[in-house]
């Protein structure tokens, strides 16, 4: 029987295999950041262990770095200590670090691909659940906890139980690809399969609706695999993949011979068997807006906030969850989504802060002004994205419209730095999680695409971006 | 890691599904660089009001449950962020066992690295345990939960059970395979980053 790409990568990385037990899997790339690593380095010190492969380990600071003026000291003392701790750990253990002043600094899942560190067919881990992003390049990439970070630092391996392959086909053509985006595709998928629909699986995204996407759009899709509960999400690499990685800072010297090998080997066989299947048709999908407190609580922009009994389809726990969510979000069932007013807009995060995201959002913003009651910030995913955007004049488009243009980091996606919502504030956000309090205690998050966020910023409430003239 | 001993206490029933790790430990408490002391931040936004006073309507604040070591929750517990701080907080607060119909993958795997036992049971059985008011006993060795109304057996991967019962150092075990890891590296096609 044939194999899926995931199974081929898995098999090629088995160091030790035992029956009815987890396998020891080799890790090709380990990305490290300041929040989930300090206790792991401490563990190494306590046991007198070293980092086995510093040459396969790359660190940056992204989660709690401020996104305002970088020449100022970090005011939050605990953040400052965490950042200094990462600097010391990288120095002590010989790990390459892109620190706060590095031109390569940025969100770990944005810089990995940009620097050519992410490679097809490789295994990639990071102490961050959105590591699934790198699956867009045909890598097996997943988030791990701090104990596993320590384990990888010490041994470059992990004991893992093999997840099940899950095929998600995305078929058809979007009518207006500038208004209906990769974010809307992935939110539609999560809305349909649920936030635990992917538990225990690695998703392979396939079909015309996926191969049509650019690499940056594919990253948005794979990034949110974890929001459906999947351990990882991946896409079989094609010429777009190989072209994207060509000539980057850390692209391997023998890249072309690797590409020849990948072309022949990194495929899912025609007779491969998936344990689960789901198909989304994208011909008629609308821009999506989340209304609740998990990413599965999402609807079309043309719809209204659902009644809990309709949403739950008879499941009492889901009904209770929806009631709680609406109470937290201060929304009444039956309210049209386009009547929901917003206070804040966040364009950023490892989901949607790449150059294309900013270009698309800028087309909505150009020549218009921010609604007077809205505060909006644009936080590029990396310093490289910021620089490229500035070369295109995007910063000017945003600041002319009264948006804030900031330095790179995770920022208000999880609000570990000073970029947070105040209690009760409502935000149109291009991030990945609308959990209670995620963007600030009492803050209310609506997940949307970059163009939908930009349109909401201009109008002061959600609008169907398909009805706007895009510059 | 400490080896897992039998646990016998009343349960704390938390009637919620999809409890994400942002709720278990909010992000403002992830800045600590050690593993200890996270218990006071457990379910922070549910336990405390904005003046940092305990909310009377949240179950953990009912003194009846003060010595409970067994948390019983709904589907998909621990979804979202990979933060192991969620496990550290649950343990530091005093929980040793979490019972649910399902767990999110990363959270589940983080439990075993720290000696916290996650038990998966079907919806109906979890519902039944939810109603238990007296002490119940968790016997990992024999994979049995003893309740007032009888015994419930539970399944667990043998390798994971061994890790908990023996309190094994995962890394020390792995480093015994040094030769195999080195052999793998010699034939690997993926080059170094630098």
């Amino acid at each position: 029987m044939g194999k899926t790409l995931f199974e081929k990568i898995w098999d090629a990385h088995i160091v030790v295999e035992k029956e009815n037990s987890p396998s020891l899997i080799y890790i090709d790339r380990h990305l490290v950041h300041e929040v989930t690593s300090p206790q792991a380095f401490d563990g190494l010190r306590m046991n007198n262990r070293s980092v086995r492969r510093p040459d396969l380990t790359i660190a940056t600071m992204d989660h709690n770095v401020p996104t305002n003026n970088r020449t100022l000291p970090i005011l939050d003392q605990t953040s400052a200590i965490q950042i200094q701790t990462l600097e010391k750990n990288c120095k002590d253990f010989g790990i390459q670090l892109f620190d706060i002043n590095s031109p390569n600094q940025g969100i770990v899942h944005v810089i990995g691909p940009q620097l050519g560190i992410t490679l097809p067919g490789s295994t990639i881990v990071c102490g961050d659940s959105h590591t699934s992003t790198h699956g867009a390049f045909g890598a097996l990439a997943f988030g791990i906890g701090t104990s596993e970070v320590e384990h990888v630092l010490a041994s470059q391996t992990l004991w893992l139980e093999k997840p099940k392959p899950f095929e998600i086909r995305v078929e058809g053509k979007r009518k207006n690809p500038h208004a209906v985006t990769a974010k809307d595709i992935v939110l539609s998928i999560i809305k349909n399969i649920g936030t635990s629909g992917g538990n225990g699986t690695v998703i392979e995204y396939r079909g015309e609706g996926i191969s049509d996407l650019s690499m940056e759009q594919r990253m948005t899709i794979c990034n949110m695999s974890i929001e459906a509960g999947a351990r990882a999400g991946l896409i079989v690499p094609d010429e777009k993949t190989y072209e994207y990685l060509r000539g980057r800072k850390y692209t391997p010297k023998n890249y072309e011979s690797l590409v020849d090998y990948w072309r022949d080997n990194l495929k899912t066989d025609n007779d491969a068997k998936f344990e689960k299947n789901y198909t989304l048709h994208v011909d008629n999908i609308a821009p999506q807006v989340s209304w609740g407190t998990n990413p599965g609580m999402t609807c079309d922009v043309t719809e209204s906030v659902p009644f809990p009994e309709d949403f739950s389809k008879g499941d009492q726990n889901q009904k209770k969850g929806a009631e709680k969510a609406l109470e937290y979000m201060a929304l009444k069932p039956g309210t049209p989504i386009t009547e929901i007013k917003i206070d804040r807009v966040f364009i950023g995060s490892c989901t949607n802060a790449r150059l294309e995201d900013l270009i698309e959002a800028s087309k909505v913003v150009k020549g218009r002004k921010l609604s007077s009651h809205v505060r909006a910030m644009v936080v590029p995913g990396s310093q490289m994205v910021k620089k490229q955007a500035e070369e295109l004049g995007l910063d000017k488009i945003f600041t002319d419209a009264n948006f804030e243009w900031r330095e790179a980091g995770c920022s208000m996606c999880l609000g570990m730095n000073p970029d947070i919502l105040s209690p009760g504030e409502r935000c149109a956000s291009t991030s990945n999680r609308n959990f209670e309090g995620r963007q600030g205690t009492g803050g209310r998050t609506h997940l949307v695409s970059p163009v939908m966020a930009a349109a909401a910023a201009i109008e002061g409430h959600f609008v169907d971006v398909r009805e706007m003239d895009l510059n | 890691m400490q080896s897992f001993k039998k646990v016998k206490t009343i349960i704390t029933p938390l009637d919620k599904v999809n409890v994400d790790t942002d709720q278990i430990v909010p992000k403002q408490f992830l800045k600590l660089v050690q593993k200890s002391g996270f218990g006071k931040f457990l379910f922070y936004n549910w336990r405390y009001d904005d003046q940092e006073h305990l909310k009377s309507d949240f179950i953990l604040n009912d003194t009846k449950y003060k010595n409970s070591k067994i948390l019983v929750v709904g589907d998909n517990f621990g979804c979202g962020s990979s933060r192991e701080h969620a496990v550290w907080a649950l343990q530091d607060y005093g929980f040793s066992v979490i019972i649910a119909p399902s767990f999110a993958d990363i959270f589940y795997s983080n439990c075993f690295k720290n000696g916290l036992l996650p038990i998966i049971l079907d919806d109906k059985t979890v519902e039944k345990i939810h109603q238990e008011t007296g002490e119940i006993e968790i016997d990992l060795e024999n994979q049995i939960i003893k309740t007032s109304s009888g015994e419930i057996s539970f399944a667990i991967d043998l390798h994971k059970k061994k890790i908990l019962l023996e309190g094994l150092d995962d890394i020390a075990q792995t480093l015994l395979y040094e030769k195999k890891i080195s052999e793998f590296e010699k034939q690997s096609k993926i080059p170094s980053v630098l």
Side-chain angles (χ1 to χ4, degrees):
Chain A
M1 197 182 68
K3 286 182 186 172
T4 64
L5 173 60
F6 151 62
E7 291 166 315
K8 289 180 186 176
I9 299 174
W10 177 273
D11 289 351
H13 286 83
I14 295 173
V15 180
V16 178
E17 193 173 29
K18 293 190 231 168
E19 216 171 314
N20 297 323
S21 255
S23 299
L24 191 63
I25 298 293
Y26 197 80
I27 302 302
D28 297 317
R29 298 282 186 263
H30 186 191
L31 310 170
V32 172
H33 66 85
E34 76 276 25
V35 176
T36 57
S37 67
Q39 296 86 352
F41 285 109
D42 259 5
L44 293 182
R45 278 196 190 90
M46 277 189 318
N47 293 289
N48 220 356
R49 290 175 178 141
S50 56
V51 174
R52 182 183 177 86
R53 294 293 301 269
D55 60 319
L56 300 180
T57 312
I58 287 285
T60 192
M61 31 191 70
D62 53 5
H63 278 63
N64 66 27
V65 295
T67 57
N68 55 358
N69 191 338
R70 289 267 155 99
T71 59
L72 300 172
I74 297 174
L75 291 176
D76 177 346
Q77 275 312 303
T78 50
S79 289
I81 288 169
Q82 209 166 47
I83 285 166
Q84 288 155 12
T85 304
L86 182 65
E87 284 169 353
K88 179 169 180 348
N89 285 334
C90 288
K91 195 161 162 255
D92 289 358
F93 289 93
I95 294 168
Q96 167 87 56
L97 167 70
F98 302 121
D99 69 12
I100 196 162
N101 299 311
S102 166
N104 296 326
Q105 180 268 342
I107 306 176
V108 65
H109 311 310
V110 177
I111 66 168
Q114 266 190 317
L115 291 169
I117 294 167
T118 304
L119 294 180
S122 64
T123 48
I124 304 176
V125 297
C126 172
D128 186 281
S129 60
H130 292 109
T131 309
S132 58
T133 313
H134 307 265
F137 293 84
L140 176 59
F142 49 91
I144 55 177
T146 299
S147 295
E148 290 177 314
V149 169
E150 184 181 339
H151 194 281
V152 177
L153 289 171
S155 71
Q156 205 59 34
T157 62
L158 275 179
W159 291 102
L160 294 170
E161 272 161 276
K162 193 174 174 180
K164 309 252 183 281
F166 181 2
E167 175 187 47
I168 294 188
R169 297 199 73 91
V170 179
E171 299 293 3
K173 291 235 179 250
R174 288 166 290 146
K175 287 211 177 66
N176 183 343
H178 292 286
V180 181
T181 68
K183 183 66 160 287
D184 303 300
I185 295 175
V186 73
L187 282 172
S188 297
I189 291 169
I190 299 164
K191 173 173 80 174
N192 285 302
I193 68 171
T195 50
S196 57
N199 281 13
T201 73
V202 168
I203 297 173
E204 182 178 321
Y205 299 96
R206 322 175 75 193
E208 185 188 17
I210 295 296
S211 51
D212 275 353
L213 300 174
S214 69
M215 288 316 297
E216 297 198 349
Q217 294 164 342
R218 292 178 193 182
M219 283 189 253
T220 300
I221 303 268
C222 289
N223 172 276
M224 289 194 67
S225 304
I226 182 69
E227 308 315 331
R231 199 71 210 258
L234 53 72
I235 295 169
V236 170
D238 59 14
E239 292 311 310
K240 283 186 202 175
T241 318
Y242 304 135
E243 184 51 37
Y244 180 98
L245 292 171
R246 206 163 262 133
R248 295 190 179 258
K249 188 173 167 72
Y250 294 108
T251 303
K253 290 197 177 62
N254 62 337
Y255 185 67
E256 293 311 324
S257 73
L258 285 170
V259 169
D260 288 341
Y261 176 79
W262 292 334
R263 275 197 193 108
D264 292 340
N265 291 281
L266 298 183
K267 285 178 190 151
T268 285
D269 297 328
N270 290 332
D271 56 345
K273 198 176 164 295
F274 289 92
E275 302 260 341
K276 261 180 117 168
N277 310 81
Y278 169 76
T279 301
L280 177 79
H281 295 277
V282 291
D283 308 72
N284 294 312
I285 66 168
Q288 301 294 302
V289 181
S290 76
W291 51 265
T293 52
N294 72 51
M297 295 174 167
T298 291
C299 65
D300 293 355
V301 64
T302 51
E303 293 181 304
S304 299
V305 175
F307 287 85
E309 49 273 32
D310 296 339
F311 169 76
S312 64
K313 299 188 182 93
D315 181 323
Q316 281 309 306
N317 283 328
Q318 292 293 343
K319 183 165 171 264
K320 258 190 285 182
E323 282 164 357
K324 274 270 176 212
L326 290 179
E327 186 190 327
Y328 181 84
M329 294 296 287
L331 289 173
K332 282 205 180 69
T335 310
I337 295 293
T338 50
E339 284 178 16
I340 299 173
K341 280 193 180 160
I342 53 156
D343 309 299
R344 302 283 295 268
V345 166
F346 171 63
I347 298 179
S349 86
C350 58
T351 313
N352 275 134
R354 296 182 179 81
L355 187 62
E356 261 183 65
D357 296 318
L358 305 188
I359 291 172
E360 292 296 311
S362 77
K363 290 178 187 168
V364 175
V365 171
K366 194 173 183 183
R368 298 187 169 109
K369 291 276 184 218
L370 185 62
S371 172
S372 58
H373 67 269
V374 174
R375 181 178 166 200
M377 52 172 74
V378 183
V379 182
S382 70
Q383 292 302 100
M384 279 177 283
V385 169
K386 179 170 184 260
K387 185 164 170 273
Q388 290 167 326
E390 286 171 357
E391 282 163 9
L392 296 173
L394 303 188
D395 55 327
K396 186 97 177 44
I397 295 175
F398 285 113
T399 52
D400 280 353
N402 299 328
F403 285 61
E404 296 167 33
W405 179 254
R406 302 178 76 99
E407 305 292 329
C410 299
S411 180
M412 210 163 72
C413 174
L414 83 168
M416 277 193 75
N417 74 350
D419 307 342
I420 56 170
L421 297 178
S422 300
E425 275 190 324
R426 190 179 293 285
C427 181
S429 177
T430 68
S431 56
N432 38 56
R433 289 189 177 134
N434 48 346
F435 297 156
E436 282 181 32
R438 168 109 173 155
Q439 295 193 292
T441 309
R444 297 171 179 137
T445 304
H446 294 270
L447 303 176
V448 288
S449 72
V451 286
M452 282 290 288
I458 302 297
E459 300 297 335
H461 57 87
F462 290 110
V463 288
D464 188 341
V465 69
R466 291 174 297 184
E467 290 165 7
M468 287 179 86
D469 286 330
L470 301 183
N471 294 300
Chain B
M1 195 169 87
Q2 293 238 318
S3 58
F4 188 92
K5 304 279 189 305
K6 276 186 189 169
V7 174
K8 190 178 179 189
T9 69
I10 62 162
I11 64 140
T12 303
L14 181 61
D15 191 14
K16 285 178 190 281
V17 292
N18 293 318
V19 174
D20 57 74
T21 53
D22 275 79
Q23 304 317 316
I24 301 173
V25 190
K27 74 273 169 174
Q28 63 268 38
F29 306 116
L30 304 187
K31 295 177 186 174
L32 301 179
V33 293
Q34 72 278 9
K35 286 186 184 180
S36 55
F38 285 94
K40 54 181 177 289
F41 310 129
L42 180 69
F43 299 123
Y44 187 84
N45 293 331
W46 291 342
R47 263 166 82 200
Y48 300 97
D49 65 17
D50 47 15
Q51 305 296 315
E52 292 210 313
H53 297 130
L54 292 173
K55 289 184 190 172
S56 58
D57 62 348
F58 186 58
I59 191 141
L60 261 70
N61 293 336
D62 186 334
T63 49
K64 185 163 79 179
Y65 299 107
K66 209 174 78 185
N67 296 317
S68 165
K69 291 182 180 299
I70 305 163
L71 183 66
V72 182
V73 291
D75 252 323
N76 202 27
F77 187 78
C79 61
S81 151
S82 64
R83 61 189 69 164
E84 200 160 314
H85 312 66
V87 172
W88 301 335
L90 285 159
Q91 271 188 316
D92 191 47
Y93 183 85
F95 289 115
S96 305
V97 180
I98 319 282
I99 300 175
S102 68
F103 292 92
D105 293 346
I106 305 177
F107 176 85
Y108 188 73
S109 134
N110 285 341
C111 286
F112 291 96
K113 311 290 177 189
N114 295 278
L116 183 65
L117 170 63
I119 299 178
I120 303 171
L121 294 168
D122 64 77
D123 282 323
K124 275 213 177 102
T125 313
V126 173
E127 189 51 41
K128 213 172 113 195
I129 294 175
H130 238 265
Q131 309 308 326
E132 286 287 338
T133 50
E135 289 192 333
I136 68 169
E137 184 178 326
I138 312 290
D139 177 353
L140 173 59
E141 178 92 57
N142 297 304
Q143 296 178 221
I144 284 172
I145 303 173
K146 292 174 188 158
T147 72
S148 57
S149 54
E151 294 189 348
I152 299 162
S153 63
F154 63 90
I156 185 169
D157 172 79
L158 286 180
H159 175 80
K160 290 196 156 71
K161 176 175 164 181
K162 190 173 165 206
I163 286 178
L164 288 185
L165 285 175
E166 295 178 17
L168 293 175
D169 176 354
D170 227 13
I171 296 176
Q173 297 295 308
T174 305
L175 295 179
L176 298 174
Y177 292 99
E178 158 62 32
K179 207 170 145 227
K180 291 229 173 208
I181 299 172
S182 295
E183 276 167 19
F184 182 93
E185 284 173 330
K186 278 189 204 116
Q187 56 82 49
S188 170
K189 285 199 170 53
I190 305 284
S192 298
V193 178
L194 306 173

